[in-house]
């Protein structure tokens, strides 16, 4: 399910990028100009691209939230393989374990008189 939604989100993102790049900064949209009797006039193209940008952007945001919720709810606890935890190699067992050095106790530095 998550992979399917990821593919759908990728397609929506590609469509959103294409629709945004087709828009002109002046609002002409698709570079269409000229006659007002055509199927897609400049204003009609701009309105269409603006609406599709808003719809695709909304779908992208909603799908991102849904995918984040699915990813958060499907988390399983991490399983740690403990099959090797109690086993040690033969070479480690034959060598003696060194003991830590004992700290030196009650050893003080000689007193140095302070100059006044």
């Amino acid at each position: 399910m998550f992979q399917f939604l990821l593919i759908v989100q990728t397609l929506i993102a590609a469509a959103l990028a294409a629709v945004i790049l087709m828009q002109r900064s002046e609002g002409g949209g698709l570079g269409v100009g000229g006659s007002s009797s055509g199927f897609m006039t400049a204003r009609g193209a701009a309105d269409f691209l603006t609406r599709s940008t808003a719809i695709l952007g909304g779908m992208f945001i909603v799908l991102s939230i849904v995918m984040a919720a699915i990813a958060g709810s499907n988390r399983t606890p991490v399983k740690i393989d403990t099959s090797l935890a109690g086993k040690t190699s033969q070479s480690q067992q034959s060598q003696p374990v060194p003991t830590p050095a004992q700290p030196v106790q009650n050893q003080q530095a000689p007193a140095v008189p302070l100059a006044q």
Side-chain angles (χ1 to χ4, degrees):
M1 177 74 175
F2 189 79
Q3 286 82 12
F4 173 73
L5 291 177
L6 187 62
I7 291 170
V8 170
Q9 187 176 28
T10 304
L11 294 175
I12 289 174
L16 184 61
V19 168
I20 289 172
L21 289 175
M22 281 193 290
Q23 294 180 12
R24 288 177 42 183
S25 61
E26 299 90 36
L30 285 178
V32 177
S35 71
S36 62
S37 63
F39 171 67
M40 283 292 259
T41 62
R43 182 171 296 247
D47 289 342
F48 172 73
L49 291 175
T50 303
R51 284 187 188 130
S52 17
T53 301
I55 291 170
L56 287 171
M59 289 172 54
F60 184 83
I61 291 171
V62 169
L63 193 56
S64 296
I65 292 170
V66 168
M67 288 176 58
I70 290 173
S73 67
N74 288 344
R75 292 194 74 180
T76 57
V78 178
K79 296 180 182 179
I80 300 174
D81 184 17
T82 58
S83 62
L84 298 175
K87 298 180 182 179
T88 58
S89 65
Q90 294 295 333
S91 63
Q92 288 178 345
Q93 289 179 354
S94 62
Q95 295 176 355
V97 178
T99 58
Q102 296 295 329
V104 179
Q105 297 176 357
N106 293 334
Q107 196 175 35
Q108 297 177 351
V112 177
L114 297 173
Q116 293 182 358

